[in-house]
Amino acid sequence: MSAAREAETASTARTRSDRPAPAITPGVRRTLRRGRTWIVIALALLAGALVLVVVQGAVRAPGSPLAADNPAPGGAQALARVLADRGVEVGQVRSLDGALDAARGGATILLHDDLGVLDRERVRELASVADRIVVARPDFAALEVLAPGVRLAGAAGDAPADAACALPAADRAGALSDGQRLLAIDDDAEASGFAGCFPSGDGFAVVAGTSPDGAEVVLVGATTPFANETIDEAGNAALAIGLLGERDAVAWYLPGPGDADAADAPSLAELTPGWVSPVLVLLVVVTVAAGIWRGRRFGPLVVEDLPVHVPASETGEGRARLYARGSARLRSLDQLRIGSIRRLAAALRLPRSAEVDAVVAAAASTTGRPAASVRALLVDAEPQGDRDLVRLARDLDGLERAVHAAISPDQALEATDPTGRRP
């Protein structure tokens, strides 16, 4: 009874040992589950970036501000079309050279430097050539060159209701809408001939005079008289058409990045706030520290100790399963050939450094087989299917038995069981 129980226990243990061990290598699902926090953060950042792009695209007005071809509220397409209907040739200019050429041709220059690209030298160059310049919302460089003594004076509290000046365009307009910006005139500028229109407090919405270079200059503090969304309010349209329609041509000059002086442009270090560099250094240090921290391994690579000794049969069976799953017949046959060549070299008393051709020649000479057939079996033949693989494996075993039989017939007979198979 005890013998039967021992046999049953041994059979159960053998069955359990034949079962494949559970895999402990983390799979895709486990990896995703471990990194779900970082995945959620990445998705949230991506969604935020997409929302920001969509919002910026929806909020940002198309085209350049006050451009003659811009139909957006901040553009000036309506004014450009009205001027064209009145016979005024409206030409858009995107460079200083184009503005200079138009000025030499006698066109009125409408200057709106929204980005503050032009420096004093370029404004002075334009003023030295142009006969008439209308500046919408002038900056400091334009005021210093075109109208010394005229300065910015803030925004108007109420809409200017009276022109109170001799400028014909302003007199026809009568009044302007809300949203005007004011310009102040000091005594020197007033003495040089500059006068203001549409007064509000201590400033004026429009200032006209003659620049030191002799150009007729009209400074409009705001863009509201020209913009599409406000040109139809109060006398804005009358003022804009009167200022730009006095001549047959208007050069609509909006300076671009190409007009900036690269030598005077601030460097990246000058534009960068002082706190950026320390923060970048801190981020680099934190990134390196996080990489070192996450890259360290605490303890063994697996959750349990592996056995020190792995039976060769299990290794062979596992590799055979991998070869069978990948249909790697030639690789499987190569492994069998390597073993056969080693055993044949040892049986034929050849050195370990013997080449395959030497083994082929010795095996062919010993068995009396043609060297070509032996080489094809050991080197050249390729299995076309599982049946060819099995046949070539049997032929390799047969070649080994033939060599052993030719070397020592008695040992070959003793090593063969009654069924004719090797143990």
Side-chain angles (χ1 to χ4, degrees):
M1 186 66 179
S2 60
R5 184 173 299 174
E6 290 178 359
E8 183 179 357
T9 303
S11 176
T12 303
R14 191 181 304 108
T15 302
R16 292 178 178 176
S17 63
D18 292 340
R19 297 176 181 175
I24 60 176
T25 303
V28 177
R29 183 177 301 176
R30 185 181 300 178
T31 303
L32 293 176
R33 187 163 52 250
R34 289 180 178 178
R36 60 181 177 270
T37 302
W38 296 106
I39 294 175
V40 171
I41 294 175
L43 292 177
L45 292 176
L46 180 60
L50 292 177
V51 171
L52 183 61
V53 170
V54 172
V55 170
Q56 285 184 344
V59 173
R60 184 179 301 171
S64 302
L66 220 65
D69 59 349
N70 186 1
Q77 188 181 70
L79 174 60
R81 289 186 175 181
V82 171
L83 291 173
D85 293 340
R86 291 174 174 266
V88 178
E89 182 182 354
V90 179
Q92 293 193 81
V93 180
R94 294 293 184 177
S95 66
L96 178 61
D97 293 337
L100 294 176
D101 293 339
R104 293 186 183 99
T108 299
I109 304 298
L110 172 62
L111 174 62
H112 175 57
D113 191 3
D114 183 59
L115 301 177
V117 173
L118 295 181
D119 58 8
R120 293 167 180 80
E121 294 299 328
R122 283 170 168 74
V123 176
R124 185 174 291 108
E125 184 179 0
L126 180 62
S128 64
V129 176
D131 294 333
R132 179 178 174 82
I133 303 177
V134 178
V135 185
R137 200 173 66 189
D139 57 3
F140 292 104
L143 291 177
E144 290 182 5
V145 174
L146 299 177
V150 179
R151 63 184 185 277
L152 301 176
D158 300 324
D162 186 12
C165 69
L167 187 65
D171 186 59
R172 286 193 297 269
L176 296 180
S177 64
D178 291 332
Q180 303 300 318
R181 293 181 178 274
L182 302 179
L183 301 170
I185 306 174
D186 62 11
D187 295 338
D188 294 336
E190 186 175 358
S192 63
F194 281 93
C197 302
F198 302 105
S200 178
D202 295 333
F204 302 90
V206 178
V207 173
T210 303
S211 71
D213 295 314
E216 181 183 353
V217 177
V218 179
L219 306 174
V220 182
T223 60
T224 51
F226 309 95
N228 294 329
E229 59 182 344
T230 54
I231 193 172
D232 59 344
E233 298 178 3
N236 292 347
L239 176 64
I241 295 173
L243 294 178
L244 301 179
E246 291 186 3
R247 300 194 177 189
D248 296 335
V250 174
W252 213 284
Y253 180 34
L254 305 180
D259 293 332
D261 188 0
D264 296 338
S267 63
L268 182 61
E270 295 174 349
L271 295 175
T272 303
W275 55 267
V276 173
S277 298
V279 170
L280 290 178
V281 174
L282 181 61
L283 288 177
V284 172
V285 173
V286 171
T287 302
V288 173
I292 296 175
W293 170 56
R294 297 296 296 176
R296 293 184 59 187
R297 297 187 181 275
F298 300 95
L301 299 179
V302 293
V303 296
E304 60 182 8
D305 296 334
L306 293 174
V308 177
H309 174 70
V310 179
S313 59
E314 294 184 6
T315 304
E317 290 177 1
R319 182 175 296 180
R321 292 191 188 98
L322 292 177
Y323 288 157
R325 185 180 302 173
S327 299
R329 302 182 185 90
L330 182 59
R331 186 176 294 274
S332 302
L333 182 60
D334 287 340
Q335 296 299 320
L336 297 176
R337 284 170 170 170
I338 291 172
S340 297
I341 291 173
R342 288 177 179 175
R343 289 189 293 270
L344 288 175
L348 296 172
R349 302 294 190 271
L350 296 176
R352 291 181 177 271
S353 60
E355 298 181 354
V356 177
D357 293 336
V359 177
V360 170
S365 176
T366 302
T367 58
R369 298 184 180 185
S373 63
V374 176
R375 179 177 177 79
L377 180 60
L378 292 177
V379 179
D380 298 331
E382 296 184 4
Q384 302 300 324
D386 294 340
R387 183 174 298 177
D388 289 345
L389 177 61
V390 174
R391 177 181 59 79
L392 291 173
R394 290 178 179 175
D395 293 344
L396 288 174
D397 184 65
L399 177 61
E400 289 188 46
R401 287 192 284 115
V403 169
H404 283 285
I407 294 175
S408 179
D410 296 336
Q411 293 181 3
L413 291 175
E414 291 176 359
T416 303
D417 62 7
T419 62
R421 298 178 179 176
R422 301 181 64 186

PDB file of all heavy atoms in Angstrom, residues 320-335:
ATOM      1  N   ALA A 320      13.460  24.397 -27.732  1.00  0.00           N
ATOM      2  CA  ALA A 320      12.767  23.720 -28.826  1.00  0.00           C
ATOM      3  C   ALA A 320      11.356  24.288 -29.025  1.00  0.00           C
ATOM      4  O   ALA A 320      10.894  24.456 -30.154  1.00  0.00           O
ATOM      5  CB  ALA A 320      12.704  22.218 -28.546  1.00  0.00           C
ATOM      6  N   ARG A 321      10.676  24.586 -27.921  1.00  0.00           N
ATOM      7  CA  ARG A 321       9.342  25.190 -28.044  1.00  0.00           C
ATOM      8  C   ARG A 321       9.409  26.554 -28.723  1.00  0.00           C
ATOM      9  O   ARG A 321       8.553  26.900 -29.550  1.00  0.00           O
ATOM     10  CB  ARG A 321       8.703  25.329 -26.666  1.00  0.00           C
ATOM     11  CG  ARG A 321       8.336  24.002 -25.992  1.00  0.00           C
ATOM     12  CD  ARG A 321       7.480  24.249 -24.788  1.00  0.00           C
ATOM     13  NE  ARG A 321       7.260  23.033 -24.020  1.00  0.00           N
ATOM     14  CZ  ARG A 321       7.956  22.708 -22.932  1.00  0.00           C
ATOM     15  NH1 ARG A 321       8.905  23.534 -22.493  1.00  0.00           N
ATOM     16  NH2 ARG A 321       7.720  21.591 -22.285  1.00  0.00           N
ATOM     17  N   LEU A 322      10.437  27.334 -28.366  1.00  0.00           N
ATOM     18  CA  LEU A 322      10.591  28.644 -29.013  1.00  0.00           C
ATOM     19  C   LEU A 322      10.857  28.490 -30.503  1.00  0.00           C
ATOM     20  O   LEU A 322      10.299  29.229 -31.329  1.00  0.00           O
ATOM     21  CB  LEU A 322      11.735  29.424 -28.358  1.00  0.00           C
ATOM     22  CG  LEU A 322      11.518  29.883 -26.915  1.00  0.00           C
ATOM     23  CD1 LEU A 322      12.758  30.567 -26.378  1.00  0.00           C
ATOM     24  CD2 LEU A 322      10.324  30.828 -26.840  1.00  0.00           C
ATOM     25  N   TYR A 323      11.718  27.542 -30.878  1.00  0.00           N
ATOM     26  CA  TYR A 323      11.993  27.310 -32.293  1.00  0.00           C
ATOM     27  C   TYR A 323      10.734  26.856 -33.024  1.00  0.00           C
ATOM     28  O   TYR A 323      10.455  27.282 -34.148  1.00  0.00           O
ATOM     29  CB  TYR A 323      13.095  26.273 -32.460  1.00  0.00           C
ATOM     30  CG  TYR A 323      14.480  26.772 -32.090  1.00  0.00           C
ATOM     31  CD1 TYR A 323      15.506  25.893 -31.729  1.00  0.00           C
ATOM     32  CD2 TYR A 323      14.751  28.138 -32.092  1.00  0.00           C
ATOM     33  CE1 TYR A 323      16.768  26.358 -31.399  1.00  0.00           C
ATOM     34  CE2 TYR A 323      16.013  28.606 -31.753  1.00  0.00           C
ATOM     35  CZ  TYR A 323      17.011  27.707 -31.402  1.00  0.00           C
ATOM     36  OH  TYR A 323      18.253  28.175 -31.082  1.00  0.00           O
ATOM     37  N   ALA A 324       9.973  25.969 -32.384  1.00  0.00           N
ATOM     38  CA  ALA A 324       8.754  25.469 -33.032  1.00  0.00           C
ATOM     39  C   ALA A 324       7.717  26.584 -33.184  1.00  0.00           C
ATOM     40  O   ALA A 324       7.037  26.683 -34.202  1.00  0.00           O
ATOM     41  CB  ALA A 324       8.171  24.314 -32.210  1.00  0.00           C
ATOM     42  N   ARG A 325       7.603  27.451 -32.165  1.00  0.00           N
ATOM     43  CA  ARG A 325       6.633  28.537 -32.251  1.00  0.00           C
ATOM     44  C   ARG A 325       7.013  29.529 -33.345  1.00  0.00           C
ATOM     45  O   ARG A 325       6.143  30.092 -34.012  1.00  0.00           O
ATOM     46  CB  ARG A 325       6.566  29.257 -30.909  1.00  0.00           C
ATOM     47  CG  ARG A 325       5.492  30.338 -30.844  1.00  0.00           C
ATOM     48  CD  ARG A 325       5.501  30.987 -29.472  1.00  0.00           C
ATOM     49  NE  ARG A 325       5.272  29.994 -28.428  1.00  0.00           N
ATOM     50  CZ  ARG A 325       5.367  30.261 -27.120  1.00  0.00           C
ATOM     51  NH1 ARG A 325       5.692  31.488 -26.730  1.00  0.00           N
ATOM     52  NH2 ARG A 325       5.159  29.319 -26.223  1.00  0.00           N
ATOM     53  N   GLY A 326       8.312  29.758 -33.549  1.00  0.00           N
ATOM     54  CA  GLY A 326       8.753  30.674 -34.579  1.00  0.00           C
ATOM     55  C   GLY A 326       9.027  30.015 -35.916  1.00  0.00           C
ATOM     56  O   GLY A 326       9.491  30.691 -36.830  1.00  0.00           O
ATOM     57  N   SER A 327       8.738  28.715 -36.052  1.00  0.00           N
ATOM     58  CA  SER A 327       8.995  27.974 -37.295  1.00  0.00           C
ATOM     59  C   SER A 327      10.444  28.131 -37.736  1.00  0.00           C
ATOM     60  O   SER A 327      10.742  28.249 -38.927  1.00  0.00           O
ATOM     61  CB  SER A 327       8.048  28.451 -38.409  1.00  0.00           C
ATOM     62  OG  SER A 327       6.703  28.214 -38.047  1.00  0.00           O
ATOM     63  N   ALA A 328      11.361  28.136 -36.778  1.00  0.00           N
ATOM     64  CA  ALA A 328      12.789  28.281 -37.083  1.00  0.00           C
ATOM     65  C   ALA A 328      13.393  26.910 -37.330  1.00  0.00           C
ATOM     66  O   ALA A 328      14.167  26.387 -36.529  1.00  0.00           O
ATOM     67  CB  ALA A 328      13.498  29.010 -35.946  1.00  0.00           C
ATOM     68  N   ARG A 329      13.034  26.281 -38.466  1.00  0.00           N
ATOM     69  CA  ARG A 329      13.500  24.916 -38.761  1.00  0.00           C
ATOM     70  C   ARG A 329      15.001  24.898 -39.019  1.00  0.00           C
ATOM     71  O   ARG A 329      15.702  23.997 -38.545  1.00  0.00           O
ATOM     72  CB  ARG A 329      12.728  24.381 -39.960  1.00  0.00           C
ATOM     73  CG  ARG A 329      11.218  24.349 -39.777  1.00  0.00           C
ATOM     74  CD  ARG A 329      10.524  23.755 -40.980  1.00  0.00           C
ATOM     75  NE  ARG A 329       9.070  23.825 -40.859  1.00  0.00           N
ATOM     76  CZ  ARG A 329       8.342  24.844 -41.278  1.00  0.00           C
ATOM     77  NH1 ARG A 329       8.932  25.883 -41.861  1.00  0.00           N
ATOM     78  NH2 ARG A 329       7.032  24.841 -41.119  1.00  0.00           N
ATOM     79  N   LEU A 330      15.498  25.846 -39.808  1.00  0.00           N
ATOM     80  CA  LEU A 330      16.921  25.844 -40.133  1.00  0.00           C
ATOM     81  C   LEU A 330      17.763  26.074 -38.890  1.00  0.00           C
ATOM     82  O   LEU A 330      18.808  25.433 -38.713  1.00  0.00           O
ATOM     83  CB  LEU A 330      17.207  26.933 -41.176  1.00  0.00           C
ATOM     84  CG  LEU A 330      18.655  27.013 -41.660  1.00  0.00           C
ATOM     85  CD1 LEU A 330      19.092  25.687 -42.274  1.00  0.00           C
ATOM     86  CD2 LEU A 330      18.826  28.147 -42.666  1.00  0.00           C
ATOM     87  N   ARG A 331      17.314  26.947 -37.995  1.00  0.00           N
ATOM     88  CA  ARG A 331      18.073  27.164 -36.759  1.00  0.00           C
ATOM     89  C   ARG A 331      18.055  25.908 -35.884  1.00  0.00           C
ATOM     90  O   ARG A 331      19.070  25.564 -35.261  1.00  0.00           O
ATOM     91  CB  ARG A 331      17.480  28.361 -36.001  1.00  0.00           C
ATOM     92  CG  ARG A 331      18.267  28.769 -34.772  1.00  0.00           C
ATOM     93  CD  ARG A 331      17.687  30.014 -34.147  1.00  0.00           C
ATOM     94  NE  ARG A 331      17.828  31.161 -35.014  1.00  0.00           N
ATOM     95  CZ  ARG A 331      18.904  31.936 -35.063  1.00  0.00           C
ATOM     96  NH1 ARG A 331      19.944  31.663 -34.279  1.00  0.00           N
ATOM     97  NH2 ARG A 331      18.950  32.981 -35.862  1.00  0.00           N
ATOM     98  N   SER A 332      16.912  25.231 -35.847  1.00  0.00           N
ATOM     99  CA  SER A 332      16.859  23.978 -35.081  1.00  0.00           C
ATOM    100  C   SER A 332      17.804  22.943 -35.672  1.00  0.00           C
ATOM    101  O   SER A 332      18.530  22.258 -34.945  1.00  0.00           O
ATOM    102  CB  SER A 332      15.427  23.445 -35.076  1.00  0.00           C
ATOM    103  OG  SER A 332      14.538  24.385 -34.529  1.00  0.00           O
ATOM    104  N   LEU A 333      17.804  22.841 -37.005  1.00  0.00           N
ATOM    105  CA  LEU A 333      18.697  21.881 -37.649  1.00  0.00           C
ATOM    106  C   LEU A 333      20.154  22.254 -37.426  1.00  0.00           C
ATOM    107  O   LEU A 333      21.012  21.361 -37.244  1.00  0.00           O
ATOM    108  CB  LEU A 333      18.373  21.819 -39.145  1.00  0.00           C
ATOM    109  CG  LEU A 333      19.198  20.822 -39.971  1.00  0.00           C
ATOM    110  CD1 LEU A 333      19.001  19.404 -39.454  1.00  0.00           C
ATOM    111  CD2 LEU A 333      18.833  20.925 -41.446  1.00  0.00           C
ATOM    112  N   ASP A 334      20.467  23.546 -37.411  1.00  0.00           N
ATOM    113  CA  ASP A 334      21.848  23.971 -37.164  1.00  0.00           C
ATOM    114  C   ASP A 334      22.309  23.563 -35.779  1.00  0.00           C
ATOM    115  O   ASP A 334      23.471  23.166 -35.592  1.00  0.00           O
ATOM    116  CB  ASP A 334      21.955  25.491 -37.321  1.00  0.00           C
ATOM    117  CG  ASP A 334      21.865  25.925 -38.782  1.00  0.00           C
ATOM    118  OD1 ASP A 334      22.095  25.064 -39.658  1.00  0.00           O
ATOM    119  OD2 ASP A 334      21.562  27.109 -39.045  1.00  0.00           O
ATOM    120  N   GLN A 335      21.416  23.650 -34.802  1.00  0.00           N
ATOM    121  CA  GLN A 335      21.797  23.206 -33.464  1.00  0.00           C
ATOM    122  C   GLN A 335      22.092  21.706 -33.443  1.00  0.00           C
ATOM    123  O   GLN A 335      23.060  21.246 -32.810  1.00  0.00           O
ATOM    124  CB  GLN A 335      20.666  23.541 -32.474  1.00  0.00           C
ATOM    125  CG  GLN A 335      20.397  25.037 -32.310  1.00  0.00           C
ATOM    126  CD  GLN A 335      21.600  25.784 -31.786  1.00  0.00           C
ATOM    127  OE1 GLN A 335      22.316  25.302 -30.904  1.00  0.00           O
ATOM    128  NE2 GLN A 335      21.832  26.975 -32.326  1.00  0.00           N
TER     129      GLN A 335
END
